[in-house]
Amino acid sequence: MTKILFKNGNVFYHNKLQKLDVLIENDRIAAIAQELTDADEIIDLKGNLLTPGFVDIHVHLREPGFEHKETIATGTNSAKYGGYTHLVAMANTIPCMDDVATIKDFALRVAKDAKVHTYTYSAITTELRGQELVDFDANSKEEIVVGFSDDGRGVQSSMMMETAMKAAKANNSIIVAHCEDEAELQPGACINDGNYAKEHNLVGINNASEFNHAVRDLKLASEIGNRYHICHISTKETVAALTEARKTNPLVSGEACPHHLILTDDNIKDMNPNYKMNPPLRSKEDLAALIQGINNGGVTVISTDHAPHAIEEKNKPIDKAPFGIIGNQHAFSLMYTYLVKKGLISLEKVLTCMSINPAKVIGIEHDLEVGLKANLAVFDLEEEYVITKESIKSKSINTPFLETKCFGALKYHVLDGKVTKI
């Protein structure tokens, strides 16, 4: 039996930061207390942050079908270097994750190549087309499936979404929704329908394209009583609708991404396509509402929507380039540097929204607690670094945060008791 002791940590335990030691025995947490001593190996953290590993419930790993953008190996390694111990891949692969055979194949790939615990969503509809429901009963029985999502496409039909919610409820599963009303979209729409779009003669994406479906779905979820989660919230109206819904329905939840919490469309530079994602960077008012939503508990999860693209794909005019940016390697450092250090969101809130809350949303057991698997991350909050192309672990480099200075360097990653020194 191997005992590893992390001493003198600033430990995020029971929702607050405490000066504690953490003992790992084999793959589990054996003790959390002050002045622990009995161990085979002692690692002095010297006051560094020790937290439950992060859980990203919104990641595009691109495999199978788009391995030139990312693979399970590279995408999960990127997550590992961001302090993540669990993630959930989206279903928009080729073939689509819409049947048992494809899901089983993905599980085999994960067992071979994944660097962190990796799950997937089944699609809601066949090939994400919104026309035919997948076999919820069969797909939900696969252990690697933790929910259902057509992310990349909104489910346009209210009747189809209602049927999907009922099927998810029957299987004690969750609908994870990309809210996008295609009736509100104009051809060529590429960034927020704001000043930057008007000044540069670009077609804008309005707020209603998101909140129309969010409002519709929250009403349906309340009537049906199923678990329901909103992906990548970007508008003040969606925040308001979700916050109101959660007053009476604890089964609904939603996530914000670091880029929507840090940047607005005013930050777009030189029509750089690395500032293009879906939903787009919104207004200052929308950003402020997202921060308020995190702080008041209306928005409970921070996910990345890690969406890699090859250089030649992304290096096109902003109206022609694909939507999406990478995000899981630097999410915590960006949140800490540009929100926590500025006093906009507390460190405890960020850690909760990146670890404990997303685990609860998808129904996995994960926390810093005696007896549970040791899935942890250690950060030096005083160490500053720069995000460079050379340091990126993803196969792709499409991010607006290149050359950005951050505080909060990962020092140790712990996966089921296996300690990696970074």
Side-chain angles (χ1 to χ4, degrees), residues 5 65 76 104 120 136 201 234 248 358 371 410 412:
L5 179 60
T76 59
K104 284 184 180 295
T120 189
F136 272 63
N201 296 313
S234 70
T248 56
L410 183 70
Y412 294 93

Side-chain angles (χ1 to χ4, degrees), residues 45-50 332-333 336-337 341 377-385 406-412:
L45 297 186
K46 299 177 181 178
N48 284 341
L49 170 69
L50 189 153
F332 173 72
S333 297
Y336 179 72
T337 304
K341 284 177 70 68
V378 174
F379 289 88
D380 183 347
L381 300 182
E382 301 301 317
E383 183 174 333
E384 185 178 22
Y385 69 94
C406 293
F407 286 90
L410 183 70
K411 308 309 289 184
Y412 294 93

Side-chain angles (χ1 to χ4, degrees), residues 55-58 86-88 117-121 144-148 172-174 176 227 229 253 255 301 355-366:
V55 180
D56 195 346
I57 61 174
H58 190 156
H86 302 73
L87 60 78
V88 188
H117 295 294
T118 302
Y119 305 90
T120 189
Y121 297 117
I144 201 168
V145 172
V146 293
F148 292 80
N172 190 29
S173 192
I174 188 169
V176 178
R227 293 160 56 208
H229 180 81
S253 59
E255 71 195 24
V301 172
S355 61
I356 309 304
N357 286 351
K360 290 178 180 176
V361 167
I362 60 171
I364 63 171
E365 187 176 52
H366 172 63

Side-chain angles (χ1 to χ4, degrees), residues 21-61:
D21 301 336
V22 176
L23 179 66
I24 299 170
E25 190 168 335
N26 294 330
D27 63 346
R28 296 188 180 268
I29 300 168
I32 304 170
Q34 294 179 337
E35 303 301 328
L36 295 174
T37 57
D38 181 26
D40 301 308
E41 179 183 355
I42 296 176
I43 300 173
D44 187 354
L45 297 186
K46 299 177 181 178
N48 284 341
L49 170 69
L50 189 153
T51 178
F54 301 140
V55 180
D56 195 346
I57 61 174
H58 190 156
V59 177
H60 298 270
L61 292 180

Side-chain angles (χ1 to χ4, degrees), residues 22-23 27-32 367-374 376:
V22 176
L23 179 66
D27 63 346
R28 296 188 180 268
I29 300 168
I32 304 170
D367 201 344
L368 181 58
E369 197 64 75
V370 172
L372 295 186
K373 291 286 185 71
L376 314 168

Side-chain angles (χ1 to χ4, degrees), residues 168-192:
K169 181 180 180 181
N171 286 281
N172 190 29
S173 192
I174 188 169
I175 295 292
V176 178
H178 174 110
C179 292
E180 186 172 39
D181 182 355
E182 293 175 3
E184 292 287 342
L185 299 179
Q186 302 300 316
C190 59
I191 64 170
N192 183 51

